[in-house]
Every structure is written in structure tokens, then in C-alpha cells.
């Protein structure tokens, strides 16, 4: 099974910029993350974007959709900021692509103590290999379909529409 | 879905003992790991053992088998040392238990830099929720059935019998 | 030797707030830091402030000065944001207090990967025990007197006035 | 001020070997540690040994002594395993070298969670710059002269002969 991992940014890849004290993007951590995971899967990283998901515009989502359709792999992982992850999942889900696609991200950056990033990547990668074609979000240890998932911003968790 | 997590020990839970400079067991890290993972699944931890899997004897494996059969949950995770994980998986697999059971561990302790533990837990937990009844090992980002998995000790990876 | 550690905030104590994605203050990490350092010195923590040093006003600095004068210890450590650390050091230095006072902080929060915080605390604590009365800043592995220190904001380092 | 840092090994530099589950030496972490510390001091690393201090023999200590005498720097740091750090300090102290020499190490490896290594390096480096010529051990946030220091193995701390 060949897997494509699309990087789009989001909290998971933010790092501390000591010049201005802000969390910003420098480069993706996924080459390091893959190595640490001791992966024995056939996975190819491709960076599409490296932005905050609140800054994503239609053209960004169209790019993600297009790359999902056009890439040769049938199994796709997408890193994504949590704030608009459900929106992108919906666009992809409505696209009726005959591939398994799992979006994930993290509540705390990979580079910050107590991050959920490495765990979330494990959940997304394992579920991707077992799911039927469709679009899913994997967060909080669960795998939720694109048309039954919502982020509760005050709690910082993803749940079904009628939990 | 209710999930039972059986703790048996293994590298994943070892910690550095500064008195003698050895890696030993103190207590399981899983309460901390669950919290960090921001889990929204119904999971109950039960510690059966806290030992090196090279020290596991038949009575230990019988205990694991018995608890897998008797616990009320139909979905079971088991932490296990990697050295004899395949043996325990085989015993459970031959037991024909009508439950989904996933064993996992780590090559590097959770408490040591560069550990694969948190990722492996994600893989195991996510796959457990999607797998048919059966016994599986989840390591290196893959999910392998008990009767087609082997540890390559020199490479430190798990693969199928005929990779 | 009795040492007083005044907490005032700064980057060193910032943590990631997953609700808004900002680095903010929650509580000081110093109880945890002291424990990790395996200290065998007589040190008492006192939290005066927990703010960004860019938000410090005259009243805040007056409070620090007053507590330095009035506390019974002759050896004082002060955590401080780096942006205005030199200003506070100058106020204390001009106060002609007959005590050894060392200010320190960090370029990266203690809770973020690659932080210099734990090292800087070691430098500050060790130098404090050896210095004559006076006011000093300890950053980048150096100990600089209050009247010959400046932060180079573009490089993110502290140096003497004529390096 | 030019500083020489002699690496000899000890717990501080041990790493987990996932092949055999042991803590062993691979290479020193100090290039990484120096970078993380954002040092602005003139410091040169030289690796003399990379061994457990329980395995140190007379020839090893003679090498350390000789290099301390012969190197051009007047300020020397030495990483050392804690078990026989006092012995090596004694040999150097009795050598009446007219240089400031500070030995340090850690109770927990730099690469293991909760390590004291980075703090201890800070203490050693800062005190070295302020001390008169002599041989000292810096551990637990203190700086102790070679002829008044002892390791309490059961507590894992260094103290004076008559604490």
C-alpha cells in the first residue's frame, strides 16, 4: 500500500520563533517524525502549504482537493490546522473521491511539551490502512467521517454531530 | 465501544533508576499518556504485570489469556515487551477469542528521547477500533495478524513472515 | 547561604494555551525545575509577578526593588523577560543594595523543545554563590554586570556595551 | 577567557541502545548542548574518553591529568561519571595545577526525561569563570572543592565531608 502524506501546516508544525516570541512556521517536522516512528510503510511526504488553517482560502482548499484527486496513491493523509479541518474535510468528502483520506493535526505543536501530535499521527496512519474509501478526521483517538464531525472549540475536542 | 488496556510491562514502561543506572520498572506511564493523548474513547486501564517480556513465563501468558477471555470488553489493547510479543500474540491467537486484540510496545522507553511509544499507542488504539475480531501486533506503523508476524531482532522491526 | 528566588515571569515561564494558540502564563515551572535540578542549596521561591517584561511598568520594578531590599537573604535570583531585563537590572544596580543579585530568563520557554531555560538557571544559581555584592545578568553562559550589559535583539544575545 | 571542555563519558552522555536495551555510549551530546545553550563563551570541546567512570583505570586518570596540565587554557571543564568523580578530582587536586578546573556530570542521562544534565553544565560553566585556580566538583547546584566533597551513593547527591 502506497501512502501520500500532504502537509498543509496547522498547529502541529508550528515552532517558537525566539526573535518575536511567536509560534510560527519554519519547516515541517514530518521527516523527523517519520524517522522517530520507525515506519515500515511506503509513505511519501509532499508539502502543499505551511499555513494556519484560519488563513486558508478557497484556492488553498482547491489545491488540496486537486492534489488528492490527481496523486497516484489511493491512501492519503493530510496534516491540517484544527480550526477549519472540518471545512476542508467537507469539501473533500463532497468531492466523492474514490480514495481513503484521513485528516489530522494536533492541539499542541509537536515542538511543545505535552504535544498530542505524535499520537495523532499514529491514529491517522493506522486507521488509513484499514478504512474504506471516504474522508475522515482522526483526533482524540477516534476516527470520524467528514459528514459527522465537529470541533468543540471551547473543549478543544472533535466529536460527532450528535454526541 | 468500550476498550480494555492491559499493561504487562516491556520497554515502553521502563524508567531510569538513578541509584543503579539501570532501566527498570516503577509504574506504568499510561495514565499520563492517556491524558496527553486527549482521548475521547471509553478506555479502562488494568495492570496485569510490569515485567520485561524476556522474563515472562507460561503462567504470565496464561494470566493474559484468561483476562482477555474474561473481561467484558470486546476490544483489548495489550502493552508488551517486543522480544516475546509474537509468542504471546500466538497464544492469544490460538485461543480463538471472539474479540479484537492488539498488542503493542516500543523500541525505546516512553521516558527516553526519541521514543516511538506515543506513536505506537496511537496506531494500536486506532486500528483496534476498525479491526475484525482477531489478534494483531501493531508496530512500525503497521498492523500485522498474529500468524504472520515476526520480529527481526537485528533491525529492531516487525514484519510479515515472507516480507 | 540562603537564596531567594523572585519569579516575575518572562518567556521562561510561558506555556502553550491550546484554546487560543498563544503562549501565555499559567503558573511558574520553578517548583518542577528545582526538583529536576536535584538542588542541595537553601532556596526559597517567591512569586512577585507573572508577566511579559514588555508589560512591566514602573510600579512592577519598584516592587522588585523593594522586595530585594527588604527580604532577609543576601543572595537573590530574579527570573525576568529578556526584553527589559537590562532596565530592571539598572534600576536595581543604581539602588546600591549590598546584596548579590542575578537576573536571568530564557530565549525559549522552558516548556518548548530546545529551551535554554534549565541551563540559564544553572548559570545564574552557580554564579550567585560566587559573586561579590552587585547586580548581574546571566545569559548565554556569561555573567555580566548591570552597567555593562545590553541585549542585541536581532541576534537574541546579551553582550557587554563594547563587545 | 578561553575554556577547554574535556569529555570523558559518564551517565550524562549515555544513550539508549534499542538493540540490546542497554544505556551505552555512542557519541557525546555536547555539540548539541552548546548550541542549545546559546553560548557566548570561547569554549573548545575535546573528547578524551567516552566511558563509564566505574571502568576508569589509572591510565585514564593520568591522561586527564596530563591533558589538564598541557592544554593551553587556564579554565577547564571535565564531564565525568559520578561514581568516581571524587577520585579523579582528588588526583587533579593533588597535582597542584595552576588552573581552574570544574568536574561535573549528571544523575540522569541528557537523553532521558527529567535529566539534570543541562542544569549541571550551566552551574559548572558559570562557576568556572568566577573561581580561583583549584579543582572543584559542581553538582546539585553547588560548587565543592576537591578536598571537601563526597558522593552519597544512596541519596545520589554530592556533599561536603562534614555536612
Amino acid at each position: 500500500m502506497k501512502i501520500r502524506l500532504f502537509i498543509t501546516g496547522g498547529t502541529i508544525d508550528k515552532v517558537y520563533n525566539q526573535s518575536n516570541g511567536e509560534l510560527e512556521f519554519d519547516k515541517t517536522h514530518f521527516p523527523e517524525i517519520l524517522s522517530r516512528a520507525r515506519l515500515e510503510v511506503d509513505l511519501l511526504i509532499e508539502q502543499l502549504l505551511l499555513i494556519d488553517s484560519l488563513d486558508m482560502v478557497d484556492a488553498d482548499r482547491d489545491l488540496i482537493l486537486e492534489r488528492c484527486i490527481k496523486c497516484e496513491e489511493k491512501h492519503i493523509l493530510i496534516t491540517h490546522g484544527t480550526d477549519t479541518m472540518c471545512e476542508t474535510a467537507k469539501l473533500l468528502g463532497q468531492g466523492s473521491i474514490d480514495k481513503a483520506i484521513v485528516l489530522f493535526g494536533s492541539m499542541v505543536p509537536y515542538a511543545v511539551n505535552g504535544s498530542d501530535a505524535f499520537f495523532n499521527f499514529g491514529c491517522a496512519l493506522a486507521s488509513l490502512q484499514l478504512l474504506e474509501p471516504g474522508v475522515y478526521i482522526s483526533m482524540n483517538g477516534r476516527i470520524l467521517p467528514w459528514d459527522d464531525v465537529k470541533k468543540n472549540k471551547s473543549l478543544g475536542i472533535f466529536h460527532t454531530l450528535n454526541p
Side-chain angles (χ1 to χ4, degrees), chain A:
Chain A
M1 182 185 298
K2 286 174 182 297
I3 296 171
R4 178 76 58 137
L5 168 59
F6 288 130
I7 305 296
T8 78
T11 293
I12 198 167
D13 258 335
K14 285 190 178 171
V15 289
Y16 187 74
N17 177 340
Q18 72 170 45
S19 300
N20 62 11
E22 300 291 331
L23 286 157
E24 298 180 348
F25 295 104
D26 176 20
K27 57 182 181 182
T28 178
H29 296 79
F30 274 87
E32 174 191 338
I33 290 172
L34 297 193
S35 162
R36 182 177 173 191
R38 290 150 177 79
L39 280 200
E40 290 293 319
V41 300
D42 192 354
L43 184 151
L44 189 68
I45 300 180
E46 180 179 340
Q47 183 174 317
L48 300 183
L49 304 162
L50 201 57
I51 61 175
D52 194 306
S53 79
L54 289 172
D55 297 331
M56 249 188 214
V57 295
D58 287 351
D60 296 321
R61 290 199 170 82
D62 289 342
L63 170 67
I64 298 171
L65 174 62
E66 188 195 329
R67 291 299 300 129
C68 284
I69 293 171
K70 293 201 177 160
C71 76
E72 67 176 82
E73 292 85 359
K74 296 283 188 188
H75 294 84
I76 299 170
L77 290 175
I78 303 173
T79 66
H80 202 288
T82 61
D83 282 321
T84 70
M85 192 186 286
C86 296
E87 274 186 60
T88 302
K90 189 178 175 186
L91 179 75
L92 298 176
Q94 290 173 338
S96 300
I97 312 164
D98 189 33
K99 299 182 176 184
I101 300 174
V102 179
L103 295 93
F104 72 102
S106 69
M107 293 306 297
V108 173
Y110 180 70
V112 172
N113 283 7
S115 173
D116 49 332
F118 200 39
F119 169 80
N120 292 346
F121 173 51
C123 289
L125 178 67
S127 55
L128 180 74
Q129 298 173 66
L130 298 170
L131 287 163
E132 295 297 305
V135 177
Y136 308 85
I137 281 179
S138 179
M139 289 289 289
N140 308 110
R142 288 196 295 197
I143 305 101
L144 301 169
W146 68 271
D147 55 359
D148 191 20
V149 60
K150 197 180 163 184
K151 182 182 174 188
N152 180 320
K153 298 205 179 191
S154 60
L155 296 179
I157 59 170
F158 287 76
H159 54 72
T160 58
L161 297 183
N162 301 298

